[in-house]
Amino acid sequence: MKAQVVFGIDVGGTTVKCGLFTAEGKLLDTWEIPTRTENQGSRILPDVAESVQAKIRERGIQPDQILGLGIGVPGPVNQKGEISGAVNLHWGFKDVAGEMREMLGMKVRAGNDANVAALGEMWAGGGKGASSLVMVTLGTGVGGGVIVDGKIVAGAHGAAGEIGHAAMEPEETEHCNCGNQGCLEQMASATGLVRLARRYLEKSEKDTLLRRGKLSAKAVFDAYAAGDAAAAEIVEEFAGYLGRAMGIIACVTDPERFVIGGGVSKAGQPLLDVLEKYYRRYAFPACKDTPLVLAELGNEAGIYGAARMALD
Amino acid sequence: MKAQVVFGIDVGGTTVKCGLFTAEGKLLDTWEIPTRTENQGSRILPDVAESVQAKIRERGIQPDQILGLGIGVPGPVNQKGEISGAVNLHWGFKDVAGEMREMLGMKVRAGNDANVAALGEMWAGGGKGASSLVMVTLGTGVGGGVIVDGKIVAGAHGAAGEIGHAAMEPEETEHCNCGNQGCLEQMASATGLVRLARRYLEKSEKDTLLRRGKLSAKAVFDAYAAGDAAAAEIVEEFAGYLGRAMGIIACVTDPERFVIGGGVSKAGQPLLDVLEKYYRRYAFPACKDTPLVLAELGNEAGIYGAARMALD
């Protein structure tokens, strides 16, 4: 018999990333298809199924070689693989795992995309070798994924790992996209960092690189790396919120490692250093040495994690 | 064959509570022995083993009836059942599960006492029917236990569920017992509530029931129930910290239920009501309806949870 394989699918708002892996986590093939969101996104899952079947034929994969398929989707997914809704895909409730299983006749597991990415980093990225971790994804928002005993914690409402909505600032007057006030992602996402920078520049008279050129998370970290004093104050404020949030998270599941990913994590070691400073200040003594590492799989974390999820 | 039984042991600083249960969670017998902490607490586990053996002889329990023994201890316990140290028992590192197994020749599981109590409430108390919950124990300190998929989350350093040390107040200048500043238990334990009350009374001129008689958590909640305006402000501050912490915890593991126990929980429904107000303000929208319930097993949660742990 030929080597056993598993499919990993990551459904995004514009494209679906697909991967074919060995059971050991070797990526054999990747491809993409467009995400067709028209008609309440009713074509999305059938398109994925057809694409997977085409790949099976193309590579002459035999049914007994296939271990299963995992699929990550952008919304809250429960343990059964059902999603209560996905705004970006124009979906309401959908039994994602059930529909895919029906179409493909193979074992299927579904999960939230951020949680699945965390599992991917554990399998083949910054979390390799750990069996519990928390992934923190610093992008437009702040996403998260919580892994305990090698498994995704999905939560009673599919909301486990929604750490971007940790209520870190009770004094905040502006609203988060979720409707609450003072969520972590209002301070610690790329958007949040720019918001902190803008507020700082309005209040301060200080001369800074940040007054020249377009304000962005990258501009703030570039100025920080260049020794700009204003950028340093802004980055410290950002890291104070995020490091303290990570300290609180460590009191809940006490992970072996934090894996930091997303666009803002491109700032690299200076980001880890300042985060570690605040994490250590606020973490419970037993957890102060928990390592903070960078994510390694970038946009492929989702397909890795989806495939890994199907192996359980 | 006679009915199968399981032992649940809860080791405290002055007494060890012991329970004998059926596999279905019916409590057949309870007894206590003193905790002998002299000589680095070296007699504690042998005393427990002798007491269990005496109970086995007394009741004529046959070896094939015994499913095992679970034991909760006050300190950080890892997945293997080893404790890194327990100040109250005068212990350093100890392989609790291993030593008990050696002495008794039966299956043994060990866990942290607060985590084990959470499991007990899930088996037979306020968490019955749930497979994931977070228990919040409001005593001298704030303890916690996190259950996911029916199992205790122990954490990489045995520190999962140490929610009393969530860094909720970065402006705090006094130190917590753990050495950090601004921990949840500085505000939300019985001691913390009294501290908030004392601060309030120093700053305010307001006439209040709290200026007559001894200040205690019970006195604050009694005055609150009697409509005292100062007590209301103090309780709202307490609940603001605790409800917001619970909102953050829900972003991490999204439990089915929060179970509130410990001495302060004797305040009952008024406590739940004010906590719910702040929990709902700060929780992620998908989690706003997560029920908050009172613990039901009191001091027996530990023996129930220890027995339940031995059944896995």
Side-chain angles (χ1 to χ4, degrees):
Chain A
M1 200 186 79
K2 288 187 189 167
Q4 297 203 290
V5 296
V6 58
F7 292 92
I9 311 293
D10 182 16
V11 182
T14 50
T15 56
V16 180
K17 293 187 191 66
C18 307
L20 177 68
F21 295 83
T22 67
E24 294 73 36
K26 193 180 157 206
L27 181 58
L28 301 172
D29 198 353
T30 53
W31 67 101
E32 288 189 2
I33 61 170
T35 306
R36 292 199 281 161
T37 54
E38 60 269 25
N39 300 318
Q40 290 83 52
S42 60
R43 286 298 310 163
I44 298 173
L45 294 182
D47 284 353
V48 171
E50 280 167 27
S51 170
V52 165
Q53 279 159 336
K55 184 61 63 177
I56 290 171
R57 287 192 300 274
E58 174 198 322
R59 298 184 68 106
I61 298 167
Q62 300 303 311
D64 65 353
Q65 281 182 264
I66 302 173
L67 294 167
L69 175 143
I71 181 166
V73 288
V77 178
N78 66 17
Q79 300 280 12
K80 284 184 269 182
E82 300 162 342
I83 192 165
S84 55
V87 183
N88 292 341
L89 307 182
H90 303 179
W91 283 356
F93 172 89
K94 195 176 279 282
D95 179 3
V96 177
E99 289 190 23
M100 290 300 292
R101 203 176 290 128
E102 181 93 354
M103 287 186 283
L104 287 168
M106 61 175 73
K107 178 181 165 185
V108 175
R109 289 280 164 81
N112 167 270
D113 55 357
N115 294 345
V116 166
L119 193 63
E121 288 289 340
M122 189 189 76
W123 198 29
K128 209 168 176 175
S131 68
S132 75
L133 61 82
V134 172
M135 181 157 178
V136 180
T137 305
L138 306 170
T140 313
V142 173
V146 178
I147 309 284
V148 169
D149 281 342
K151 292 198 171 55
I152 290 170
V153 180
H157 313 88
E162 284 287 359
I163 60 173
H165 301 282
M168 295 306 295
E169 184 46 87
E171 311 282 312
E172 178 61 55
T173 53
E174 290 180 30
H175 284 268
C176 178
N177 288 331
C178 80
N180 289 351
Q181 289 162 293
C183 291
L184 177 63
E185 75 175 31
Q186 290 183 272
M187 281 79 72
S189 60
T191 331
L193 180 56
V194 168
R195 207 178 65 103
L196 294 183
R198 206 160 270 145
R199 279 192 183 176
Y200 179 93
L201 295 177
E202 277 165 18
K203 278 191 310 194
S204 155
E205 303 274 285
K206 202 172 268 182
D207 182 39
T208 158
L209 295 169
L210 298 174
R211 296 198 199 275
R212 304 158 211 167
K214 195 170 174 296
L215 207 51
S216 67
K218 185 175 182 305
V220 175
F221 269 100
D222 285 349
Y224 177 64
D228 185 275
E233 287 188 54
I234 296 161
V235 166
E236 299 264 340
E237 187 184 4
F238 155 93
Y241 283 113
L242 182 52
R244 187 160 63 85
M246 288 164 56
I248 298 175
I249 293 165
C251 293
V252 184
T253 65
D254 181 16
E256 280 172 64
R257 221 175 283 176
F258 283 95
V259 179
I260 317 293
V264 177
S265 74
K266 289 182 185 149
Q269 197 58 44
L271 167 68
L272 289 187
D273 290 344
V274 69
L275 268 185
E276 202 167 280
K277 170 178 157 186
Y278 286 97
Y279 173 73
R280 278 166 204 248
R281 174 177 303 173
Y282 293 117
F284 183 61
C287 310
K288 284 191 195 285
D289 290 333
T290 301
L292 278 48
V293 303
L294 293 171
E296 294 174 3
L297 301 177
N299 287 334
E300 290 187 340
I303 56 172
Y304 273 91
R308 176 65 187 78
M309 185 169 56
L311 294 177
D312 271 337
Chain B
M1 199 186 79
K2 287 188 190 169
Q4 297 203 290
V5 296
V6 58
F7 292 92
I9 311 294
D10 182 17
V11 182
T14 50
T15 57
V16 179
K17 294 187 190 66
C18 308
L20 177 68
F21 295 83
T22 67
E24 294 72 37
K26 192 179 157 206
L27 181 57
L28 302 172
D29 199 352
T30 52
W31 67 101
E32 288 189 1
I33 61 171
T35 307
R36 293 200 280 162
T37 54
E38 60 269 24
N39 299 318
Q40 290 83 50
S42 61
R43 287 299 311 163
I44 298 173
L45 294 182
D47 284 353
V48 171
E50 280 166 28
S51 171
V52 165
Q53 278 158 338
K55 184 61 64 177
I56 290 170
R57 286 191 302 274
E58 175 199 322
R59 298 184 69 106
I61 297 167
Q62 301 303 309
D64 65 354
Q65 281 182 264
I66 303 173
L67 294 167
L69 175 144
I71 182 166
V73 287
V77 179
N78 65 17
Q79 300 280 14
K80 284 184 269 183
E82 301 162 343
I83 192 166
S84 55
V87 182
N88 292 341
L89 308 181
H90 303 179
W91 282 356
F93 172 89
K94 196 176 277 284
D95 178 3
V96 177
E99 289 190 23
M100 291 300 292
R101 203 176 290 128
E102 180 93 354
M103 288 185 283
L104 286 169
M106 61 176 73
K107 177 183 167 185
V108 176
R109 289 280 163 82
N112 166 269
D113 55 357
N115 294 345
V116 166
L119 193 63
E121 288 289 340
M122 189 189 76
W123 198 29
K128 210 168 175 175
S131 69
S132 75
L133 61 82
V134 172
M135 180 156 178
V136 179
T137 304
L138 305 171
T140 313
V142 173
V146 177
I147 309 283
V148 168
D149 281 341
K151 292 198 171 54
I152 290 170
V153 179
H157 314 88
E162 284 287 358
I163 60 172
H165 301 282
M168 294 306 295
E169 184 46 88
E171 312 281 313
E172 179 61 55
T173 53
E174 290 179 31
H175 284 267
C176 178
N177 288 332
C178 80
N180 289 352
Q181 289 163 293
C183 290
L184 178 64
E185 76 177 31
Q186 290 184 271
M187 282 79 71
S189 61
T191 331
L193 180 57
V194 168
R195 208 177 63 104
L196 294 183
R198 206 159 270 145
R199 279 192 183 176
Y200 179 93
L201 296 176
E202 277 165 20
K203 278 190 313 193
S204 155
E205 305 273 286
K206 204 172 266 182
D207 182 39
T208 158
L209 295 170
L210 298 175
R211 297 198 199 273
R212 304 160 209 166
K214 195 171 172 296
L215 207 50
S216 67
K218 184 175 182 304
V220 175
F221 269 101
D222 285 349
Y224 177 63
D228 185 274
E233 287 187 53
I234 297 161
V235 166
E236 300 264 341
E237 187 183 5
F238 156 93
Y241 283 113
L242 182 53
R244 186 159 64 84
M246 288 164 57
I248 298 176
I249 292 165
C251 293
V252 184
T253 65
D254 181 16
E256 280 172 65
R257 222 174 284 177
F258 283 94
V259 179
I260 316 294
V264 178
S265 74
K266 288 181 186 150
Q269 197 59 43
L271 167 68
L272 290 187
D273 290 343
V274 69
L275 268 186
E276 202 167 282
K277 169 178 157 186
Y278 286 97
Y279 173 73
R280 278 166 204 248
R281 175 177 304 174
Y282 293 117
F284 183 60
C287 309
K288 284 190 196 285
D289 290 333
T290 301
L292 276 50
V293 303
L294 292 172
E296 294 174 3
L297 301 177
N299 288 335
E300 291 188 339
I303 56 173
Y304 274 91
R308 176 65 186 79
M309 185 168 56
L311 295 177
D312 271 337

